[in-house]
Amino acid sequence: MKTYLLAFFLALAVSASAAITDFSGVENIPIQGGGREKPYFTYATETLQTLTGRATYRDGERKIPAMEAIFDIGFHPHAWGERPLILIDYKPLKEAIGLPTDRKLFSLSELAANEGLKERVAEVEKLLGDPAKPKLNREQTEVSEITARVRLAHALMEGNAFAFVPHPSGPVWLPVAFVAKAYPNAGGEAVAQGWTELGNAFLKGDDTAFRSAAGKFASGLSALRPDAYPSADVMKLETVYGKAHPFRWAWLLYALAAIVLWVTTLWARSGGYRIAWGLISIGFVLQIAGFVARIIIGGRGPVTNMYESVIWAAFGTILFAMILEAIYRSRYMFLGATPVAVVCLILADTQTTILKPSIDPLAAVLRNNFWLSTHVTSITLSYAAFALALGVGHIVLGKVFFRRPVSAALYNYLYRSLQIGVLLLAIGTILGGVWANVSWGRFWDWDPKETWALIALLGYLAILHGRIAGWWKGFGLAVGSVLAFQSVLMAWYGVNFVLGEGLHSYGFGTGGFPAVLAYVIAEVVFVALVIARRKKESAAAEPEVEEIEA
């Protein structure tokens, strides 16, 4: 008897440790999630990122890919009740409800037993049910997001999140469990049988049986309602886009270009400059490819949420730098642009819980591609020009701080960047007023986003006007380019993530505030140190060149 029990448990251990290594048969199967149809690869990646904040699940020393992890939750649900799965990253909340602050992932069972969390969930649900719709504070917003993660995990375990089945007559797809009822024919039976075989093969870790079942399941689904099924080519494109990470490769190339430029500052300048041009050009093409993919997949311009505005700003920064470098051949535009673009793309690549990279359906007010392509693009490109000015401004202030000469040409590059930004921001603000009149029946309502866009515009206009009026020279432009960018940061990030109110609610989110605040303080301190250093040594220094072309 003991021998049989030992054999049973050994077999169970082997089956539990077996893993599918080839998910190619299921990665392109359409599934509905987040209001649209997407390939299972994308769905699994986004779902795991929502639950855990990462695209892979770490189980001891092993990293479990998203497609495997999500199937395992669905086909092997009882194994996930005690495993750390739900992301809680807000330290004050963890302290308040008695959770360890050194951990980010918590199991469903320990969250279900936490009385402090239960009380806060009940409070948030009451607030959300209030017709007056009171504004949630930071802790309440975090509780709301945790609740959504827990519900998603339970939906996966119950099978309700695997909406592979097109509805017979409506737009909302159904979980596989409902296929026999929705399609009481041979087609529905074939899909149900394929799903069962898929689950059995997955639990056994049988790649051959898994591929066979995946093919049966996929063909059965596509035959249920062909008119409602998305294009197979688009599904494949989205999977390729998700695996290729074009924006990650772009920032790696931009970072390498920046290193080449700095290393070849004193020697091999010409060769280093050509290499940098090549690296930046390849990275730029990769960004274009990424944008084209997102446009085809989403059917609209890639500037509708914080993630897309960040990668678009990086793109614009490099675009303006390439244009100005083609004109002036200075190196400085690339030196100023590449760090900014790299930081933007790294944030987009790593902060997926804050800057959500999913290609979601548009909010109703945004469903106008003309205004989306003019107003939003103009505003975001203005941020890019100001980001370029920020980079060049840091070069100027760094030279001043370390007592290096600053040429008139460098001040001129800074001036040109500011001019481009002001022009685009003015155009974007005017177009925004026209769009607001079309959408909401008024040109201006002092909405927080509108107000801070105007503050940023007036701030940069004051910087340029002060230079023309003779109130300050090139050094003043450099100081202004750094300090005024904080108003852009407020309009871009602060309105969405800090104020959390206004008609632009489709862009709201949480997270990152301490890091942004630390950045703002660091910039102010840096500028103050440079000004103090300049004043202290101004008597002994030779007059710097301040001439700027008209």
Side-chain angles (χ1 to χ4, degrees), residues 122-150:
E123 175 190 358
V124 170
E125 289 180 344
K126 183 178 179 181
L127 289 172
L128 292 175
D130 189 339
K133 295 183 178 180
K135 177 185 173 183
L136 301 182
N137 60 32
R138 173 66 189 279
E139 180 182 288
Q140 292 166 341
T141 302
E142 292 288 339
V143 170
S144 177
E145 293 186 354
I146 293 166
T147 303
R149 293 184 188 117
V150 170

Side-chain angles (χ1 to χ4, degrees), residues 315-368:
F315 173 82
T317 304
I318 296 296
L319 171 64
F320 295 136
M322 292 176 75
I323 293 172
L324 293 172
E325 280 293 341
I327 297 172
Y328 296 112
R329 298 285 174 176
S330 70
R331 300 173 67 96
Y332 286 116
M333 306 312 295
F334 280 159
L335 285 170
T338 47
V340 174
V342 167
V343 169
C344 286
L345 293 176
I346 287 178
L347 289 173
D349 192 31
T350 60
Q351 303 303 309
T352 55
T353 57
I354 300 173
L355 306 175
K356 295 178 175 59
S358 56
I359 305 174
D360 296 325
L362 292 178
V365 71
L366 293 178
R367 292 173 190 165
N368 185 316

